[in-house]
Amino acid sequence: MLRLAFSLITCFLALPCVSAHGYLAYLGIDDNQSYTNYTGNVPNADPSPSVIRQVSDISPVKGASNPDLNCGLNAQFASKVASANPGDLLVFDWRGGDNTNWPHNTGPMLTYMTSCGSSDCTQYNSSSSKWFKIAEIGIVTNATSSNSPVWAQQSVMNGAFTNVTLPSTLSPGNYLIRHEIIALHLATDLGGAEFYPACSQVKVGGSQTGMAEDSEMVLFPGAYQDTDPGIYDPDVYSSNSYTFPGPPIAAFVTASASSSSGSSSPLTSSSPAPTATTGSTPGSSSSSSGAQTLCRLQRRTSSAGSDFTRRSLTRNSNMLLKTRVTHSWNGHRLRGLWGDVVTAFGVLRLRAIRVADGQSAS
Protein backbone atom coordinates (compact mmCIF):
# COMPACT_ATOMS: atom_id res chain seq x y z
CA MET A 1 0.00 0.00 0.00
CA LEU A 2 2.82 2.41 0.88
CA ARG A 3 4.61 1.59 -2.37
CA LEU A 4 1.43 2.41 -4.32
CA ALA A 5 1.03 5.68 -2.46
CA PHE A 6 4.67 6.57 -3.14
CA SER A 7 4.22 5.79 -6.83
CA LEU A 8 1.19 8.06 -7.03
CA ILE A 9 3.05 10.92 -5.34
CA THR A 10 6.05 10.42 -7.63
CA CYS A 11 3.81 10.50 -10.69
CA PHE A 12 2.11 13.65 -9.45
CA LEU A 13 5.36 15.48 -8.76
CA ALA A 14 7.00 14.46 -12.03
CA LEU A 15 4.82 16.64 -14.28
CA PRO A 16 4.05 16.07 -17.05
CA CYS A 17 3.03 12.51 -16.18
CA VAL A 18 -0.26 11.72 -17.91
CA SER A 19 -3.26 13.73 -19.00
CA ALA A 20 -5.63 12.25 -16.46
CA HIS A 21 -8.81 13.81 -17.85
CA GLY A 22 -10.19 15.44 -20.97
CA TYR A 23 -13.02 17.07 -22.91
CA LEU A 24 -14.97 17.02 -26.18
CA ALA A 25 -12.71 18.93 -28.58
CA TYR A 26 -14.60 18.64 -31.87
CA LEU A 27 -18.00 17.71 -33.26
CA GLY A 28 -18.32 16.67 -36.89
CA ILE A 29 -21.53 16.28 -38.89
CA ASP A 30 -21.55 14.19 -42.07
CA ASP A 31 -24.61 14.12 -44.33
CA ASN A 32 -23.01 11.77 -46.90
CA GLN A 33 -22.53 14.75 -49.21
CA SER A 34 -20.43 17.15 -47.15
CA TYR A 35 -18.64 17.22 -43.82
CA THR A 36 -18.76 20.09 -41.33
CA ASN A 37 -16.41 20.31 -38.38
CA TYR A 38 -17.18 22.35 -35.27
CA THR A 39 -14.38 23.18 -32.84
CA GLY A 40 -14.99 23.19 -29.11
CA ASN A 41 -13.33 25.47 -26.57
CA VAL A 42 -10.53 24.41 -24.28
CA PRO A 43 -11.94 24.23 -20.74
CA ASN A 44 -11.62 27.51 -18.85
CA ALA A 45 -10.05 29.31 -21.83
CA ASP A 46 -11.32 32.54 -23.38
CA PRO A 47 -14.23 31.21 -25.45
CA SER A 48 -14.61 31.45 -29.20
CA PRO A 49 -17.94 30.96 -31.00
CA SER A 50 -18.83 27.25 -30.90
CA VAL A 51 -21.76 24.85 -30.91
CA ILE A 52 -20.25 22.88 -27.99
CA ARG A 53 -20.99 24.19 -24.52
CA GLN A 54 -17.70 25.00 -22.80
CA VAL A 55 -16.87 23.41 -19.45
CA SER A 56 -14.66 24.96 -16.79
CA ASP A 57 -12.20 22.13 -16.29
CA ILE A 58 -11.01 18.86 -17.81
CA SER A 59 -11.80 17.06 -14.55
CA PRO A 60 -14.79 14.70 -14.34
CA VAL A 61 -18.14 15.23 -12.73
CA LYS A 62 -18.26 13.13 -9.56
CA GLY A 63 -21.48 11.80 -8.05
CA ALA A 64 -24.73 10.86 -9.79
CA SER A 65 -26.63 13.64 -8.02
CA ASN A 66 -24.20 16.38 -9.03
CA PRO A 67 -25.98 19.22 -10.95
CA ASP A 68 -23.02 19.33 -13.34
CA LEU A 69 -24.06 15.91 -14.62
CA ASN A 70 -26.39 17.82 -16.93
CA CYS A 71 -23.84 19.18 -19.42
CA GLY A 72 -20.46 19.14 -17.65
CA LEU A 73 -18.56 21.18 -15.07
CA ASN A 74 -20.06 24.69 -14.98
CA ALA A 75 -21.11 24.31 -18.62
CA GLN A 76 -21.78 27.63 -20.36
CA PHE A 77 -24.20 28.44 -23.18
CA ALA A 78 -22.63 28.21 -26.63
CA SER A 79 -23.20 31.00 -29.16
CA LYS A 80 -23.62 28.92 -32.32
CA VAL A 81 -25.96 26.18 -33.52
CA ALA A 82 -25.02 23.34 -35.89
CA SER A 83 -27.33 22.24 -38.71
CA ALA A 84 -28.18 18.57 -39.22
CA ASN A 85 -30.84 16.29 -40.64
CA PRO A 86 -32.25 12.91 -39.59
CA GLY A 87 -29.81 10.15 -40.53
CA ASP A 88 -26.73 12.39 -40.44
CA LEU A 89 -23.62 11.04 -38.78
CA LEU A 90 -22.35 12.78 -35.64
CA VAL A 91 -18.60 12.43 -35.08
CA PHE A 92 -17.33 13.07 -31.54
CA ASP A 93 -13.61 13.68 -31.02
CA TRP A 94 -12.56 13.44 -27.37
CA ARG A 95 -9.11 14.62 -26.31
CA GLY A 96 -6.95 14.48 -23.22
CA GLY A 97 -6.06 17.62 -21.32
CA ASP A 98 -2.93 18.29 -23.39
CA ASN A 99 -4.74 17.66 -26.71
CA THR A 100 -3.42 14.10 -27.01
CA ASN A 101 -5.60 10.98 -27.17
CA TRP A 102 -8.37 10.41 -24.66
CA PRO A 103 -6.69 9.00 -21.50
CA HIS A 104 -9.20 6.38 -20.28
CA ASN A 105 -10.17 2.96 -21.63
CA THR A 106 -12.78 1.50 -19.27
CA GLY A 107 -16.47 2.32 -19.34
CA PRO A 108 -19.39 3.07 -21.70
CA MET A 109 -20.27 5.95 -24.00
CA LEU A 110 -23.88 7.13 -24.14
CA THR A 111 -25.74 9.74 -26.18
CA TYR A 112 -28.92 11.62 -25.21
CA MET A 113 -31.00 14.39 -26.75
CA THR A 114 -33.45 16.96 -25.41
CA SER A 115 -35.63 19.50 -27.16
CA CYS A 116 -34.97 23.21 -26.62
CA GLY A 117 -38.52 23.93 -27.73
CA SER A 118 -38.90 27.12 -29.77
CA SER A 119 -35.52 28.37 -28.52
CA ASP A 120 -32.42 27.96 -30.70
CA CYS A 121 -30.62 26.47 -27.64
CA THR A 122 -28.11 29.32 -27.31
CA GLN A 123 -29.84 30.49 -24.10
CA TYR A 124 -31.65 27.30 -23.21
CA ASN A 125 -31.33 26.14 -19.59
CA SER A 126 -31.47 22.35 -19.63
CA SER A 127 -31.31 21.81 -15.87
CA SER A 128 -34.93 20.66 -15.76
CA SER A 129 -35.11 19.32 -19.30
CA LYS A 130 -36.14 15.76 -20.12
CA TRP A 131 -33.66 13.68 -22.12
CA PHE A 132 -34.05 10.56 -24.25
CA LYS A 133 -31.30 8.12 -25.15
CA ILE A 134 -30.35 7.55 -28.80
CA ALA A 135 -27.17 5.46 -28.49
CA GLU A 136 -24.94 3.51 -26.12
CA ILE A 137 -21.85 1.38 -26.53
CA GLY A 138 -19.90 -0.58 -23.94
CA ILE A 139 -18.02 -3.87 -24.29
CA VAL A 140 -17.50 -5.07 -27.84
CA THR A 141 -15.84 -7.94 -29.65
CA ASN A 142 -14.38 -7.40 -33.08
CA ALA A 143 -11.48 -8.22 -35.36
CA THR A 144 -9.42 -5.38 -33.93
CA SER A 145 -9.52 -7.02 -30.50
CA SER A 146 -8.96 -10.53 -31.94
CA ASN A 147 -12.62 -11.21 -31.12
CA SER A 148 -11.94 -10.82 -27.40
CA PRO A 149 -14.21 -8.62 -25.26
CA VAL A 150 -12.86 -5.07 -24.95
CA TRP A 151 -14.32 -1.71 -24.01
CA ALA A 152 -15.13 0.44 -27.03
CA GLN A 153 -13.61 3.32 -25.04
CA GLN A 154 -10.25 1.61 -25.56
CA SER A 155 -10.47 2.52 -29.25
CA VAL A 156 -11.05 6.17 -28.32
CA MET A 157 -7.95 5.98 -26.16
CA ASN A 158 -6.16 4.59 -29.23
CA GLY A 159 -7.24 7.62 -31.30
CA ALA A 160 -10.67 6.73 -32.70
CA PHE A 161 -13.72 8.95 -32.99
CA THR A 162 -17.13 7.94 -31.70
CA ASN A 163 -19.77 8.02 -34.44
CA VAL A 164 -23.48 8.28 -33.64
CA THR A 165 -26.24 8.36 -36.25
CA LEU A 166 -29.12 10.77 -35.72
CA PRO A 167 -32.39 8.80 -35.79
CA SER A 168 -33.73 8.70 -39.34
CA THR A 169 -37.27 9.55 -38.17
CA LEU A 170 -36.32 12.31 -35.70
CA SER A 171 -38.75 15.24 -35.60
CA PRO A 172 -37.34 18.59 -36.72
CA GLY A 173 -36.49 21.16 -34.11
CA ASN A 174 -33.85 22.60 -31.79
CA TYR A 175 -31.95 20.05 -29.72
CA LEU A 176 -29.15 19.65 -27.25
CA ILE A 177 -27.11 16.51 -27.89
CA ARG A 178 -25.54 15.19 -24.70
CA HIS A 179 -22.67 12.81 -25.46
CA GLU A 180 -21.15 11.21 -22.37
CA ILE A 181 -18.19 9.07 -21.44
CA ILE A 182 -18.34 7.28 -18.10
CA ALA A 183 -14.87 6.22 -16.92
CA LEU A 184 -15.06 3.21 -14.61
CA HIS A 185 -11.39 2.65 -13.74
CA LEU A 186 -12.14 3.60 -10.10
CA ALA A 187 -15.73 2.28 -10.05
CA THR A 188 -14.82 -0.74 -7.93
CA ASP A 189 -15.50 1.62 -5.02
CA LEU A 190 -18.79 3.44 -4.45
CA GLY A 191 -18.58 6.95 -5.88
CA GLY A 192 -15.51 6.18 -7.95
CA ALA A 193 -17.12 6.55 -11.39
CA GLU A 194 -16.08 9.59 -13.44
CA PHE A 195 -18.67 11.29 -15.67
CA TYR A 196 -17.70 13.35 -18.71
CA PRO A 197 -20.87 14.82 -20.29
CA ALA A 198 -20.67 17.29 -23.18
CA CYS A 199 -23.58 19.16 -24.78
CA SER A 200 -23.77 20.44 -28.36
CA GLN A 201 -26.44 22.70 -29.85
CA VAL A 202 -28.05 21.43 -33.07
CA LYS A 203 -30.99 22.41 -35.25
CA VAL A 204 -32.48 19.36 -36.99
CA GLY A 205 -34.34 19.82 -40.26
CA GLY A 206 -36.62 17.53 -42.24
CA SER A 207 -40.26 16.60 -41.82
CA GLN A 208 -40.15 13.42 -39.75
CA THR A 209 -42.31 12.80 -36.69
CA GLY A 210 -40.28 10.52 -34.42
CA MET A 211 -40.08 11.43 -30.74
CA ALA A 212 -39.57 9.60 -27.46
CA GLU A 213 -42.41 8.80 -25.11
CA ASP A 214 -42.56 10.57 -21.75
CA SER A 215 -41.83 7.26 -20.03
CA GLU A 216 -38.50 7.04 -21.92
CA MET A 217 -37.28 10.47 -20.78
CA VAL A 218 -35.10 11.29 -17.78
CA LEU A 219 -33.59 14.22 -15.92
CA PHE A 220 -29.90 14.96 -15.36
CA PRO A 221 -29.20 14.62 -12.55
CA GLY A 222 -31.83 12.03 -11.73
CA ALA A 223 -31.30 9.38 -14.39
CA TYR A 224 -28.50 7.65 -12.49
CA GLN A 225 -27.84 6.52 -8.93
CA ASP A 226 -24.36 5.98 -7.51
CA THR A 227 -25.36 2.40 -6.69
CA ASP A 228 -26.53 1.53 -10.23
CA PRO A 229 -24.77 -1.62 -11.53
CA GLY A 230 -23.32 0.30 -14.48
CA ILE A 231 -21.85 3.01 -12.24
CA TYR A 232 -20.74 1.12 -9.12
CA ASP A 233 -19.13 -2.00 -10.58
CA PRO A 234 -16.88 -4.07 -8.29
CA ASP A 235 -16.49 -6.62 -11.11
CA VAL A 236 -15.54 -4.14 -13.82
CA TYR A 237 -12.13 -5.78 -14.32
CA SER A 238 -13.28 -9.39 -14.05
CA SER A 239 -16.54 -9.51 -16.03
CA ASN A 240 -17.18 -9.48 -19.77
CA SER A 241 -20.72 -8.15 -19.39
CA TYR A 242 -21.99 -4.72 -18.51
CA THR A 243 -25.33 -3.19 -17.49
CA PHE A 244 -25.95 0.22 -19.02
CA PRO A 245 -27.24 2.92 -16.65
CA GLY A 246 -30.17 5.15 -17.45
CA PRO A 247 -33.25 4.52 -19.60
CA PRO A 248 -33.46 2.24 -22.64
CA ILE A 249 -32.77 3.66 -26.06
CA ALA A 250 -36.02 5.31 -27.19
CA ALA A 251 -38.27 2.94 -29.11
CA PHE A 252 -38.55 5.20 -32.17
CA VAL A 253 -34.74 5.22 -32.43
CA THR A 254 -34.39 1.44 -32.47
CA ALA A 255 -37.27 1.19 -34.95
CA SER A 256 -35.64 3.66 -37.34
CA ALA A 257 -32.30 1.88 -36.95
CA SER A 258 -33.86 -1.47 -37.80
CA SER A 259 -35.51 -0.07 -40.91
CA SER A 260 -32.21 1.30 -42.20
CA SER A 261 -29.91 -1.52 -41.05
CA GLY A 262 -29.13 -2.49 -44.62
CA SER A 263 -27.52 0.84 -45.44
CA SER A 264 -23.81 1.45 -45.05
CA SER A 265 -22.21 4.01 -42.79
CA PRO A 266 -21.61 7.31 -44.61
CA LEU A 267 -18.18 7.67 -43.05
CA THR A 268 -15.80 4.73 -42.92
CA SER A 269 -12.18 3.99 -42.16
CA SER A 270 -9.55 2.18 -44.14
CA SER A 271 -9.00 -0.03 -41.09
CA PRO A 272 -11.65 -2.21 -39.43
CA ALA A 273 -13.55 -0.12 -36.91
CA PRO A 274 -15.16 -1.60 -33.79
CA THR A 275 -18.93 -1.97 -33.95
CA ALA A 276 -21.32 -3.17 -31.30
CA THR A 277 -24.83 -4.37 -30.77
CA THR A 278 -26.24 -2.54 -27.78
CA GLY A 279 -29.08 -3.50 -25.50
CA SER A 280 -32.38 -1.65 -25.68
CA THR A 281 -33.80 -2.52 -22.28
CA PRO A 282 -32.67 -1.67 -18.74
CA GLY A 283 -30.33 -4.26 -17.34
CA SER A 284 -29.13 -5.32 -20.77
CA SER A 285 -25.52 -6.39 -21.12
CA SER A 286 -23.02 -5.49 -23.80
CA SER A 287 -20.50 -8.14 -24.81
CA SER A 288 -21.39 -9.16 -28.37
CA SER A 289 -20.33 -8.15 -31.85
CA GLY A 290 -22.30 -7.19 -34.93
CA ALA A 291 -23.16 -4.22 -37.09
CA GLN A 292 -25.51 -1.59 -35.76
CA THR A 293 -26.35 1.95 -36.75
CA LEU A 294 -26.63 3.60 -33.34
CA CYS A 295 -23.01 3.99 -32.32
CA ARG A 296 -19.77 3.02 -34.00
CA LEU A 297 -16.11 3.97 -33.89
CA GLN A 298 -13.80 5.37 -36.53
CA ARG A 299 -10.05 5.71 -36.47
CA ARG A 300 -8.69 9.25 -36.37
CA THR A 301 -6.17 8.70 -39.18
CA SER A 302 -6.74 7.09 -42.56
CA SER A 303 -5.24 6.78 -46.03
CA ALA A 304 -8.54 6.00 -47.72
CA GLY A 305 -8.26 8.86 -50.23
CA SER A 306 -8.51 12.61 -50.51
CA ASP A 307 -12.27 12.74 -49.96
CA PHE A 308 -12.00 11.02 -46.58
CA THR A 309 -8.97 13.10 -45.68
CA ARG A 310 -10.91 16.28 -46.45
CA ARG A 311 -13.72 15.24 -44.17
CA SER A 312 -11.64 13.73 -41.38
CA LEU A 313 -10.96 15.51 -38.11
CA THR A 314 -7.18 15.72 -38.56
CA ARG A 315 -4.94 17.84 -36.41
CA ASN A 316 -3.88 20.27 -39.13
CA SER A 317 -2.82 23.85 -38.69
CA ASN A 318 -6.39 25.12 -38.96
CA MET A 319 -7.45 23.09 -35.93
CA LEU A 320 -4.54 23.63 -33.55
CA LEU A 321 -5.42 25.13 -30.20
CA LYS A 322 -4.76 28.85 -29.99
CA THR A 323 -1.42 29.73 -28.46
CA ARG A 324 -3.07 32.15 -26.06
CA VAL A 325 -4.51 29.25 -24.06
CA THR A 326 -1.53 26.91 -23.97
CA HIS A 327 -0.39 28.39 -20.68
CA SER A 328 -3.38 26.79 -18.98
CA TRP A 329 -2.39 23.18 -19.68
CA ASN A 330 -0.05 22.83 -16.70
CA GLY A 331 -2.81 24.07 -14.44
CA HIS A 332 -5.27 21.58 -15.95
CA ARG A 333 -2.74 18.77 -15.57
CA LEU A 334 -2.12 19.77 -11.98
CA ARG A 335 -5.83 19.79 -11.11
CA GLY A 336 -6.52 16.56 -12.99
CA LEU A 337 -3.60 14.65 -11.52
CA TRP A 338 -4.26 15.98 -8.04
CA GLY A 339 -7.87 14.78 -8.33
CA ASP A 340 -6.67 11.29 -9.24
CA VAL A 341 -4.18 11.26 -6.36
CA VAL A 342 -6.85 12.37 -3.86
CA THR A 343 -9.29 9.76 -5.17
CA ALA A 344 -6.68 7.01 -5.02
CA PHE A 345 -5.70 7.92 -1.45
CA GLY A 346 -9.38 7.91 -0.54
CA VAL A 347 -9.65 4.36 -1.85
CA LEU A 348 -6.52 3.32 0.08
CA ARG A 349 -7.87 4.95 3.26
CA LEU A 350 -11.23 3.17 2.96
CA ARG A 351 -9.50 -0.17 2.51
CA ALA A 352 -7.24 0.50 5.51
CA ILE A 353 -10.31 1.27 7.63
CA ARG A 354 -11.93 -1.96 6.49
CA VAL A 355 -8.86 -3.94 7.49
CA ALA A 356 -8.76 -2.20 10.89
CA ASP A 357 -12.41 -3.16 11.41
CA GLY A 358 -11.69 -6.76 10.54
CA GLN A 359 -13.26 -6.59 7.06
CA SER A 360 -11.79 -7.79 3.81
CA ALA A 361 -9.73 -5.20 1.97
CA SER A 362 -10.79 -6.53 -1.43
Side-chain angles (χ1 to χ4, degrees):
M1 184 180 297
L2 290 177
R3 283 197 298 270
L4 176 58
F6 178 78
S7 298
L8 289 169
I9 294 173
T10 301
C11 179
F12 170 67
L13 293 176
L15 291 173
C17 179
V18 294
S19 298
H21 307 305
Y23 69 107
L24 180 64
Y26 304 101
L27 168 69
I29 298 180
D30 191 295
D31 63 4
N32 209 23
Q33 300 296 323
S34 62
Y35 186 91
T36 305
N37 177 51
Y38 299 94
T39 303
N41 283 292
V42 175
N44 206 36
D46 292 335
S48 297
S50 177
V51 306
I52 303 172
R53 294 192 169 185
Q54 184 184 28
V55 296
S56 62
D57 199 271
I58 61 172
S59 298
V61 176
K62 298 289 286 187
S65 60
N66 191 325
D68 285 330
L69 196 64
N70 193 268
C71 278
L73 290 173
N74 302 307
Q76 301 298 305
F77 297 138
S79 61
K80 297 176 67 177
V81 178
S83 296
N85 285 296
D88 284 357
L89 192 71
L90 307 175
V91 182
F92 299 95
D93 183 1
W94 288 86
R95 301 289 179 88
D98 57 357
N99 202 35
T100 55
N101 287 357
W102 177 251
H104 301 306
N105 64 356
T106 304
M109 295 173 283
L110 310 99
T111 309
Y112 296 83
M113 296 183 70
T114 189
S115 171
C116 300
S118 59
S119 163
D120 66 359
C121 295
T122 57
Q123 297 294 318
Y124 180 73
N125 185 339
S126 60
S127 60
S128 60
S129 194
K130 293 184 178 181
W131 303 79
F132 58 94
K133 186 186 289 184
I134 67 168
E136 57 190 13
I137 190 168
I139 297 174
V140 300
T141 55
N142 50 67
T144 304
S145 65
S146 302
N147 294 318
S148 298
V150 64
W151 287 100
Q153 194 180 149
Q154 175 68 58
S155 293
V156 180
M157 188 181 192
N158 293 344
F161 305 123
T162 304
N163 294 350
V164 176
T165 302
L166 279 176
S168 61
T169 60
L170 179 65
S171 294
N174 304 295
Y175 291 95
L176 281 178
I177 298 175
R178 180 184 180 275
H179 187 58
E180 172 185 42
I181 292 179
I182 303 178
L184 298 177
H185 54 287
L186 297 176
T188 53
D189 288 274
L190 189 63
E194 298 182 351
F195 303 93
Y196 297 89
C199 291
S200 303
Q201 302 170 172
V202 177
K203 182 178 180 63
V204 176
S207 58
Q208 300 296 323
T209 59
M211 181 50 65
E213 301 291 337
D214 284 344
S215 60
E216 299 173 313
M217 296 185 179
V218 295
L219 298 172
F220 281 107
Y224 304 154
Q225 300 294 323
D226 285 323
T227 53
D228 287 348
I231 293 174
Y232 169 51
D233 193 350
D235 300 322
V236 67
Y237 292 114
S238 59
S239 175
N240 290 333
S241 64
Y242 176 73
T243 302
F244 289 102
I249 294 173
F252 88 96
V253 178
T254 55
S256 63
S258 298
S259 65
S260 61
S261 60
S263 62
S264 59
S265 170
L267 191 59
T268 59
S269 169
S270 61
S271 302
T275 59
T277 300
T278 57
S280 59
T281 58
S284 61
S285 296
S286 167
S287 61
S288 60
S289 63
Q292 54 91 38
T293 60
L294 300 179
C295 186
R296 65 184 70 212
L297 299 171
Q298 168 209 331
R299 292 183 184 276
R300 180 169 289 132
T301 57
S302 173
S303 58
S306 59
D307 183 61
F308 178 85
T309 302
R310 177 180 62 82
R311 296 185 294 163
S312 294
L313 297 179
T314 54
R315 295 173 183 160
N316 56 39
S317 58
N318 293 327
M319 296 168 61
L320 291 176
L321 299 177
K322 296 183 178 180
T323 55
R324 61 186 170 83
V325 300
T326 55
H327 67 277
S328 67
W329 289 127
N330 284 338
H332 287 315
R333 281 180 181 157
L334 185 64
R335 285 192 293 271
L337 286 170
W338 178 247
D340 275 355
V341 169
V342 170
T343 302
F345 270 110
V347 171
L348 292 173
R349 182 174 178 274
L350 285 173
R351 289 178 177 170
I353 292 172
R354 290 174 184 169
V355 170
D357 290 341
Q359 302 178 29
S360 172
S362 59

